[in-house]
Amino acid sequence: MSDILIIGTVALDTIETPFGKVENALGGSATYASFAASFFSKPALISVVGNDFPREYIELLKKRNIDLDGLKIIGKTFHWEGFYEYDMNEAKTKKTELNSLEHFKVEVPERYKNIKYVFLANIDPEQQLETLRQMSKPDFVVIDTMNFWINNKKKALIDVIKKIDVLLLNDGEARQLFNTVNLVKAANEALNLGPKAVIIKKGEHGALLFTKNKHFSAPSYPLENIKDPTGCGDSFGGGFIGYLAKTNDLSERSFRKAIVYGSVVASHNAEDFSLNRLRDLTMNDIEKRYKEFQDIREF
Ligand code: AMP
């Protein structure tokens, strides 16, 4: 039985960074998130791909024991084209082709409806809301989003934020969504909408956790070999919720550890294009870097 439900995109990405280029590579928020979560827990995925989606990509997800009964095959796969300049913290979108995602009707399979942990990874906020509507009564819901949805579906996005437990955003998105340059103000505005916690991801500079009375700043990892940061936000989210589902401990202390596990998986992800690093990653690699994170923070 799966212990995390993840809805998001499964994509074919065309990406250019200062270190190379890939075309129609495996990507998507749900892909990265479920892959990352699978190191800790057993994710089930809801998404849609087209008939053009390579079989080998499906096999790769299956090999990590990701439950794909909620993956529909209709029309043409969602395609994202982006690039990074020397500031690798900011993805620039060239093209977003929603394709089969545009008319995708969420149908949560019956046996997923009682899953307790839900990750609403980056996708249309109306599809995120519909997923929650069909679930029985999840214990813990995390949401992620991006500028595309803040620009196009802000009202639906605010509606869904009111119903969840943890909001994940990167710094640029937090400023955009709450109309302020100050991240503390943005986090407080977010908390006023209802979530118990807000996590602001700052790319290679770590992540900030805000709850009602506490604040935690997770270190970043001094990564020398960065090739492609695509999917780091999603792998962070997947690692975060994966660790929480595994331990079933939702204390603030456990959130802090989960943030570091999320950062560990995300930092590995940046070392290569697409899922190329995550597909060979082992739990040993993860634990080793987790210890290095602990050392970085010691003073
Ligand atoms: P990130 O973790 O933020 O780097 O997410 C990267 C992934 O997001 C890529 O693999 C894209 O396929 C996917 N993506 C890009 N644009 C969107 C969008 N508007 N909605 C959902 N997923 C997207």
Side-chain angles (χ1 to χ4, degrees):
M1 163 84 182
S2 301
D3 46 17
I4 307 176
L5 176 74
I6 298 179
I7 174 169
T9 52
V10 176
L12 294 175
D13 286 345
T14 294
I15 293 160
E16 196 165 359
T17 81
F19 308 100
K21 182 169 179 176
V22 288
E23 280 180 41
N24 290 320
L26 176 59
S29 58
T31 309
Y32 284 105
S34 56
F35 224 84
S38 72
F39 289 99
F40 307 92
S41 302
K42 198 170 176 308
L45 185 147
I46 294 189
S47 195
V48 60
V49 291
N51 294 302
D52 54 338
F53 193 70
R55 187 78 222 166
E56 57 175 293
Y57 293 169
I58 304 249
E59 294 308 321
L60 188 63
L61 295 168
K62 277 195 179 154
K63 253 179 47 197
R64 289 234 43 104
N65 281 325
I66 297 165
D67 187 331
L68 296 179
D69 276 7
L71 181 67
K72 288 191 186 168
I73 303 180
I74 308 167
K76 194 168 178 230
T77 307
F78 171 76
H79 178 239
W80 180 68
E81 214 169 310
F83 67 98
Y84 300 81
E85 286 165 329
Y86 272 96
D87 177 4
M88 300 274 270
N89 282 322
E90 200 198 338
K92 304 222 169 70
T93 295
K94 258 193 195 164
K95 226 194 257 171
T96 304
E97 294 170 344
L98 294 176
N99 298 330
S100 52
L101 196 72
E102 190 167 359
H103 301 292
F104 173 49
K105 294 257 172 301
V106 173
E107 276 172 60
V108 179
E110 222 31 65
R111 64 192 181 81
Y112 290 3
K113 289 191 176 169
N114 289 315
I115 295 178
K116 295 295 176 202
Y117 287 80
V118 176
F119 185 18
L120 306 173
N122 182 23
I123 196 169
D124 185 333
E126 285 171 18
Q127 289 158 346
Q128 293 175 319
L129 268 174
E130 182 54 27
T131 306
L132 275 190
R133 208 186 54 74
Q134 292 179 31
M135 293 300 286
S136 294
K137 202 181 170 306
D139 286 348
F140 186 73
V141 183
V142 178
I143 188 178
D144 191 10
T145 191
M146 74 180 277
N147 51 8
F148 185 87
W149 303 113
I150 300 174
N151 291 332
N152 295 311
K153 300 248 175 133
K154 187 163 170 179
K155 187 182 169 310
L157 179 61
I158 297 287
D159 284 348
V160 67
I161 291 172
K162 289 180 180 164
K163 297 180 191 300
I164 53 86
D165 299 285
V166 177
L167 169 64
L168 303 182
L169 287 168
N170 69 32
D171 42 1
E173 292 154 1
R175 292 189 175 103
Q176 186 189 356
L177 184 57
F178 296 104
N179 256 321
T180 171
V181 289
N182 186 300
L183 293 180
V184 180
K185 278 195 181 140
N188 284 333
E189 293 232 12
L191 288 173
N192 285 339
L193 292 174
K196 294 182 191 69
V198 178
I199 296 170
I200 299 184
K201 301 166 282 180
K202 298 181 69 193
E204 60 184 322
H205 306 301
L208 304 172
L209 166 69
F210 295 88
T211 53
K212 274 247 149 23
N213 313 310
K214 287 196 165 171
H215 172 217
F216 169 66
S217 160
S220 64
Y221 185 77
L223 199 60
E224 220 184 314
N225 168 34
I226 299 187
K227 277 195 187 154
D228 173 21
T230 304
C232 283
D234 311 311
S235 342
F236 174 93
F240 173 76
I241 197 168
Y243 175 78
L244 292 175
K246 176 181 161 187
T247 57
N248 221 357
D249 175 355
L250 296 176
S251 63
E252 202 258 355
R253 176 127 189 94
S254 174
F255 277 19
R256 293 182 181 211
K257 290 185 184 169
I259 287 175
V260 175
Y261 275 111
S263 306
V264 167
V265 182
S267 69
H268 278 293
N269 176 61
E271 290 172 358
D272 208 341
F273 283 87
S274 186
L275 279 289
N276 293 343
R277 177 65 185 106
L278 294 192
R279 63 191 295 169
D280 295 327
L281 193 68
T282 64
M283 206 55 213
N284 268 349
D285 299 328
I286 292 176
E287 293 298 356
K288 188 165 166 263
R289 194 166 285 180
Y290 183 86
K291 289 207 174 66
E292 290 181 64
F293 266 82
Q294 284 178 319
D295 285 347
I296 289 172
R297 200 14 66 98
E298 201 82 47
F299 66 89

